[in-house]
Structure formats: structure tokens, C-alpha cells
Amino acid sequence: MAHYEYSPKGTCSTRMIFEISDDDRVESLQVIGGCNGNLKGIGALIRGMKTEDVINRLEGIRCGFKPTSCPDQIAEALKSYKQ
């Protein structure tokens, strides 16, 4: 099990804390800041998913006129983790 923390850029959230299983699945996600209920929901939906599948689903989602969003930053965090 790997513990990974990421500081998102361009969003209301300030920290993303992941637990990633040895077989590359998201075991948990905790997001500090941002839209609490929505981010808890996203965390519940991605639990058990392969990191690559999460990246493919969330990458490129925008929040209003911003060039990014919390879901997009989750994808960025996981891409950074995989490097």
C-alpha cells in the first residue's frame, strides 16, 4: 500500500491524500478544501478503480471558466504518482 499526497493547482481544494494498493487501485481519497460532499462522492466512486481508469475518466474536466477542476487535479495527481 502506498501513501501519496498532492497539492492541486487552480482549484479550491488544497491537498489530496491517496492510498494506492499494490495492484495500482485507489483504496481511498481524502480531499482538503473544495466542495466537501462532491469530493467525498468522487472518492467513493473511484474506490477500487485502477489508477489509469480514474485518469481516463477525470482528465480534462473543467470547473466553470477555470482551465482545471478538482476531478482534473485528481487525474493530474495520479499521473504524477505513476511517474
Side-chain angles (χ1 to χ4, degrees):
M1 183 84 61
H3 177 89
Y4 183 69
E5 294 193 24
Y6 181 80
S7 295
K9 297 153 194 69
T11 62
C12 300
S13 58
T14 57
R15 172 127 350 252
M16 296 177 173
I17 304 163
F18 296 84
E19 297 295 331
I20 310 289
S21 69
D22 293 336
D23 66 344
D24 201 38
R25 294 181 183 276
V26 176
E27 291 299 318
S28 69
L29 166 64
Q30 177 186 5
V31 180
I32 310 301
C35 302
N36 188 281
N38 288 334
L39 291 165
K40 283 181 181 175
I42 291 170
L45 289 170
I46 67 171
R47 189 175 303 122
M49 287 180 64
K50 290 287 232 178
T51 59
E52 195 63 37
D53 292 337
V54 174
I55 292 167
N56 289 335
R57 288 191 181 193
L58 300 182
E59 187 174 33
I61 293 174
R62 294 176 154 214
C63 182
F65 295 106
K66 294 179 183 180
T68 190
S69 66
C70 288
D72 183 57
Q73 288 296 296
I74 291 168
E76 290 300 316
L78 292 173
K79 289 192 315 188
S80 175
Y81 166 77
K82 291 174 79 66
Q83 290 179 351

